[in-house]
Amino acid sequence: MFSCNTSTSGCPTFLLTGFPGLEAFHHWVSIPINLICTVSLLGNGIILFLICTDPTLHEPMYIFLSMLAASDLGLCASTFPTMVWLFWLGTRELPFDLCAAQMFFIHAFTYVESGVLLAMAFDRCVAIRDPLHYATILTHSATAKVGGAILVRAVLLNLPGPLLLRRLLFPQVSVLSHCYCLHCDLVGLACSDTQINSLVGLVSILLSLGLDSSLILLSYALILWTVLSIASPGERLKALNTCVSHLCIVLIFYLPKLGLSVLHRVEKHSYPALAVLMANLHFLVPPFMNPIVYCIKSKQIRQGILKWFQQKRVDTS
């Protein structure tokens, strides 16, 4: 840890942190990370392209899925560069401006993904509770407005963070806890008063992840209430089956964050490598798993992918 006696308001440098004690194996660690990121980019890119080009998939559920794929691509693009710099190239130094920009985009795309998951929960809730009015409630115009609102909220909630960080003093060189920049990490490294920054960060989380997770729980409570009122067991199972994909990606998105939060408060210093692994996985796993989950559970997505590959084969022939 560097001393605040050499603090500066100019251009401090931040050092990325890999896996403590495994620095000699960072090249090997980079192989699965690169593989996960490559599969994430390809999977989400294919789903986004497929939904945009296939008119049969221009429905609210799949439009929200395309928004989820776009946010996953943005999250990969935000975190992947510093992982490559650290694990593959061995570069640890990151200037303040790049660090603040990465922090903004990581949090913004995380909030976008959380908002899209909430919109998808609302979509399933309307489809099950009020199927006769589904088409009139979730029109293309309404879907576009929801997507725009999610994006605007993510930008507005994250814009104060980098701006407020500029008023803080940092040591000339600071060591980050991860291989990317997060708001809580940067605030913890500052040498000056950070009460306003901490308050802004807390409000931002409560109005995004906190609010979204609460409303998702409420949506599923309403869905469960409606499903239990259906007399036929077969119809109950059919209704619940439409929610399986979304429920899986909600758990994939929120559970790693919950596990990382618990680990940071209980055994972070006893198992630093495990804390770093969890910190990397909670950004890598959702973009990697989301396309897989929807390819397995969604017949329309599977058929669209097969149709696209068959068309490519015909064009090649």
Side-chain angles (χ1 to χ4, degrees):
M1 186 68 182
F2 292 87
S3 172
C4 282
N5 293 332
T6 58
S7 61
T8 177
S9 58
C11 295
T13 300
F14 297 95
L15 299 181
L16 303 170
T17 297
F19 292 93
L22 300 176
E23 288 80 5
F25 302 98
H26 275 180
H27 280 84
W28 295 105
V29 172
S30 70
I31 295 175
I33 289 177
N34 290 342
L35 181 62
I36 290 173
C37 288
T38 302
V39 172
S40 300
L41 292 170
L42 287 174
N44 287 289
I46 289 172
I47 286 183
L48 184 60
F49 174 79
L50 188 66
I51 295 174
C52 290
T53 57
D54 191 344
T56 63
L57 297 177
H58 291 176
E59 300 176 6
M61 181 175 69
Y62 296 110
I63 293 174
F64 288 136
L65 178 58
S66 69
M67 295 179 190
L68 186 71
S71 66
D72 282 337
L73 287 172
L75 196 57
C76 287
S78 301
T79 56
F80 192 35
T82 50
M83 290 183 181
V84 171
W85 291 347
L86 178 63
F87 295 122
W88 192 251
L89 303 178
T91 303
R92 295 186 64 191
E93 296 81 7
L94 199 65
F96 175 82
D97 289 338
L98 282 180
C99 195
Q102 184 188 45
M103 179 201 78
F104 172 81
F105 284 111
I106 286 177
H107 289 298
F109 283 118
T110 300
Y111 290 0
V112 167
E113 184 160 352
S114 177
V116 172
L117 291 177
L118 173 59
M120 296 173 82
F122 177 73
D123 170 84
R124 292 298 84 207
C125 187
V126 173
I128 292 174
R129 288 179 59 84
D130 196 5
L132 296 179
H133 296 94
Y134 176 81
T136 57
I137 294 174
L138 284 171
T139 61
H140 284 91
S141 174
T143 304
K145 290 177 182 177
V146 170
I150 290 171
L151 183 60
V152 169
R153 184 192 68 165
V155 172
L156 292 179
L157 287 179
N158 284 287
L159 201 55
L163 298 177
L164 290 173
L165 283 174
R166 289 190 169 277
R167 70 182 185 87
L168 300 180
L169 295 175
F170 291 92
Q172 187 64 43
V173 180
S174 302
V175 180
L176 298 170
S177 301
H178 312 294
C179 58
Y180 44 78
C181 300
L182 297 179
H183 182 262
C184 58
D185 206 3
L186 294 179
V187 170
L189 293 172
C191 300
S192 45
D193 182 33
T194 59
Q195 288 186 356
I196 296 178
N197 300 73
S198 299
L199 180 61
V200 168
L202 177 61
V203 171
S204 175
I205 291 175
L206 291 177
L207 292 179
S208 55
L209 301 180
L211 179 63
D212 293 347
S213 58
S214 301
L215 293 177
I216 289 172
L217 286 174
L218 176 61
S219 297
Y220 272 100
L222 294 173
I223 289 172
L224 189 60
W225 179 271
T226 303
V227 169
L228 291 177
S229 65
I230 299 174
S232 170
E235 290 297 320
R236 289 182 188 176
L237 187 60
K238 183 179 178 181
L240 287 175
N241 193 48
T242 63
C243 301
V244 171
S245 299
H246 177 256
L247 189 57
C248 286
I249 61 176
V250 167
L251 295 176
I252 289 170
F253 180 77
Y254 282 104
L255 284 182
K257 288 176 170 50
L258 180 62
L260 180 63
S261 177
V262 172
L263 185 64
H264 269 259
R265 284 161 176 77
V266 180
E267 293 292 344
K268 175 184 176 182
H269 300 292
S270 300
Y271 304 99
L274 179 60
V276 173
L277 177 63
M278 285 291 295
N280 288 325
L281 288 180
H282 98 287
F283 280 128
L284 292 174
V285 170
F288 175 75
M289 290 299 301
N290 290 347
I292 295 174
V293 169
Y294 268 94
C295 285
I296 292 174
K297 293 299 297 179
S298 176
K299 182 180 178 180
Q300 291 90 336
I301 294 294
R302 289 200 307 272
Q303 289 177 341
I305 293 175
L306 290 174
K307 180 181 176 182
W308 183 69
F309 276 112
Q310 288 172 355
Q311 184 65 40
K312 292 291 288 184
R313 185 179 300 176
V314 171
D315 292 342
T316 304
S317 300

